[in-house]
Amino acid sequence: MTQQILRATLFHTPRNAFTEERALEAYADGALLIEDGVINACGEFASVRRIYPNVPVRDLRGGFLLPGFVDTHVHYPQVRVLGGLGYTLLDWLEHNTLPEEARLADASYAATIAHEFVAALAAHGTTTALVFGSHFAPATASLLETAANRGLRVASGLVLSDRNLRDELHQTPEQAYRDCTGLIRRFHGNGRLLYAVTPRFALSASEAMLEVCQTLLSEHEGLRFTTHWNENVREIEEVVRSFPWAADYLAVYERYQLTGPNAVLAHSVHSTAEQLQRLASSGGSVSYCPCSNAALGSGFFPLQRHLSAGVRFALGTDVGGGTGFSLLKEGLQAYLTQRLAPEPYLLHAPQLLYLATRAGAEAMGLAGETGDFRPGKSADYVYIRPAPCCPLANAIDRAASLDRVLGSLFTLVAAEHIEEVAVAGNIVHRRECCPHP
Ligand SMILES: [Zn+2]
């Protein structure tokens, strides 16, 4: 048995920061006791030390420990399309993104992209992610293998489409069923990997393809489901035109029973209160991608409407529609845009931390394993250490409360401040070494 105490300033949100008082637990001089990759105790250093006087201590004071971040929406084949400005969703897909996604037909190119992608997740403190795979089965396998080798907790799957994209990105429903079944047998439940059934969006999936998704979910236990929903006004109009029998976009997914507790629907920018009530009653969650919503001009996420309906939501970076891999940046962008939204909502730092960690674990059905530092959870953590005298260090020095320190972390931390990232106590990224394996 290996035991270790990490000593640092420590933050986590073991409770829902929107519905429960004092969701944030913060310790200026905190301790995390890790035993064989699992958290055994979390609290003030002095009290943990009293109970475990003989466990070796790693002194990380001067830095900050947060639970590993959870990215609930991110596209592996889009690492290299980041930075495409000036588009809206459908022309961004056609001109910026789908040509790059088609390149992943080449397995060796796909392997390179998989390494870049997984290294970028880890370097930004993301330890758990719900990832859109590729339209090609070998490329999707490459991502899952690379994530497993790095030790990250990843749910992903083959992206399914049989219309309205580029021909080389389409597969028949029969081929999709065969490829998905093969990938599920090989990867689902293997170590920290899970399989996610992933139609790109209703606009690029026929009824037969959506039926394949329904069949796969009924044939295998514990699969996740993810897709896009209500992102862009033109997208919504075209979906409703493509499925004349459907009352709205959500009704398309509902017909194939795709909106249950294992589902994470990305965006939900233009959702009505009535649609959100339907989603809440089926148990599905939403991925909120604030940088992407702004970058593609998709609109303001109706945060208050989601809270009122009781729909779970968590942050996603939506690389490459978004602007990078940082969940801290997504938290800041959520704060900024919600201040300006038609129905403004003032987000507090503990809510940002909750949205970047525990809320994501809840949306992915992994709250029993990760998302906070409660005893029994996997030791998934991010260690942030600012350089002396940098603006981040100076802001923290002057902070009057730990809430204020947490606000400074969301405002000023960049990837270069992240010193170490671990999953189940195993280090998956260290700042000083090259992230490529
Ligand atoms: Zn997306």
Side-chain angles (χ1 to χ4, degrees), residues 1 6 18 28 50 54 80-81 100 121 134 144 172 184 192 201 252 279 285 300 309 311 315 323 325 407 418 427 433:
M1 182 171 74
L6 305 184
F18 290 93
R50 244 192 320 277
N54 301 316
R80 295 187 179 186
V81 307
E100 171 68 9
L121 288 180
S134 162
L144 288 160
T172 64
I184 290 165
R192 300 187 189 110
F201 57 169
V252 177
L279 184 59
S285 299
F300 286 106
V311 172
L315 290 172
T323 62
F325 285 86
I418 294 179
I427 293 167
C433 60

Side-chain angles (χ1 to χ4, degrees), residues 73 75 228 267 318:
H73 185 64
H75 294 253
H228 295 97
H267 298 300
D318 197 19

Side-chain angles (χ1 to χ4, degrees), residues 2-24:
T2 59
Q3 284 185 318
Q4 187 179 43
I5 291 174
L6 305 184
R7 182 178 189 181
T9 301
L10 189 150
F11 298 91
H12 73 137
T13 47
R15 290 169 287 280
N16 186 323
F18 290 93
T19 59
E20 296 185 47
E21 293 288 311
R22 292 192 292 278
L24 178 70

Side-chain angles (χ1 to χ4, degrees), residues 83-403:
L85 303 180
Y87 296 103
T88 52
L89 175 66
L90 298 182
D91 61 322
W92 174 84
L93 279 171
E94 184 182 346
H95 300 293
N96 191 45
T97 300
L98 298 182
E100 171 68 9
E101 295 214 14
R103 287 186 195 111
L104 273 77
D106 174 347
S108 72
Y109 183 70
T112 303
I113 296 296
H115 280 102
E116 285 178 15
F117 176 80
V118 167
L121 288 180
H124 289 79
T126 299
T127 54
T128 299
L130 179 54
V131 181
F132 255 65
S134 162
H135 287 272
F136 306 101
T140 302
S142 191
L143 166 75
L144 288 160
E145 278 166 6
T146 308
N149 290 340
R150 181 58 75 114
L152 299 187
R153 207 179 291 287
V154 161
S156 187
L158 181 68
V159 180
L160 306 178
S161 289
D162 58 352
R163 60 179 180 179
N164 290 334
L165 300 181
R166 301 158 65 97
D167 282 346
E168 62 268 45
L169 298 179
H170 296 156
Q171 66 273 77
T172 64
E174 296 73 26
Q175 188 63 44
Y177 177 78
R178 279 196 299 275
D179 284 350
C180 289
T181 301
L183 289 166
I184 290 165
R185 289 197 180 126
R186 192 167 152 203
F187 293 108
H188 181 57
N190 189 347
R192 300 187 189 110
L193 300 179
L194 291 167
Y195 193 85
V197 175
T198 312
R200 185 162 200 124
F201 57 169
L203 194 53
S204 70
S206 68
E207 295 184 23
M209 189 63 98
L210 294 170
E211 242 177 76
V212 165
C213 297
Q214 181 179 19
T215 303
L216 290 166
L217 289 166
S218 70
E219 286 180 349
H220 305 271
E221 279 288 306
L223 296 184
R224 302 322 194 247
F225 174 82
T226 192
T227 190
H228 295 97
W229 177 54
N230 276 359
E231 178 175 5
N232 166 287
V233 172
R234 231 187 92 210
E235 168 213 14
I236 295 166
E237 286 167 1
E238 295 198 18
V239 167
V240 171
R241 239 197 320 274
S242 305
F243 296 88
W245 48 261
D248 59 24
Y249 198 157
L250 188 63
V252 177
Y253 297 139
E254 284 173 332
R255 173 155 176 176
Y256 299 95
Q257 299 177 304
L258 303 175
T259 62
N262 57 353
V264 178
L265 307 185
H267 298 300
S268 187
V269 171
H270 301 283
S271 306
T272 64
E274 189 269 335
Q275 289 169 347
L276 291 173
Q277 271 150 22
R278 279 156 53 202
L279 184 59
S281 59
S282 65
S285 299
V286 158
S287 177
Y288 168 28
C289 307
C291 287
S292 169
N293 293 345
L296 291 173
S298 302
F300 286 106
F301 177 76
L303 191 148
Q304 181 61 59
R305 210 176 292 164
H306 284 71
L307 287 175
S308 304
V311 172
R312 274 191 313 232
F313 59 95
L315 290 172
T317 60
D318 197 19
V319 165
T323 62
F325 285 86
S326 170
L327 267 303
L328 292 165
K329 182 163 73 168
E330 294 301 330
L332 177 64
Q333 180 75 7
Y335 167 81
L336 295 172
T337 47
Q338 289 302 325
R339 293 217 73 168
L340 300 174
E343 286 179 273
Y345 191 98
L346 182 61
L347 284 161
H348 300 293
Q351 291 168 331
L352 303 184
L353 181 62
Y354 168 71
L355 287 174
T357 57
R358 188 181 161 92
E362 288 169 352
M364 289 180 66
L366 292 172
E369 291 167 50
T370 192
D372 61 65
F373 289 149
R374 263 203 269 222
K377 299 277 176 94
S378 172
D380 301 355
Y381 66 80
V382 184
Y383 176 55
I384 295 164
R385 190 178 181 106
C389 304
C390 72
L392 172 61
N394 291 338
I396 287 166
D397 273 354
R398 283 158 186 72
S401 69
L402 286 173
D403 262 34

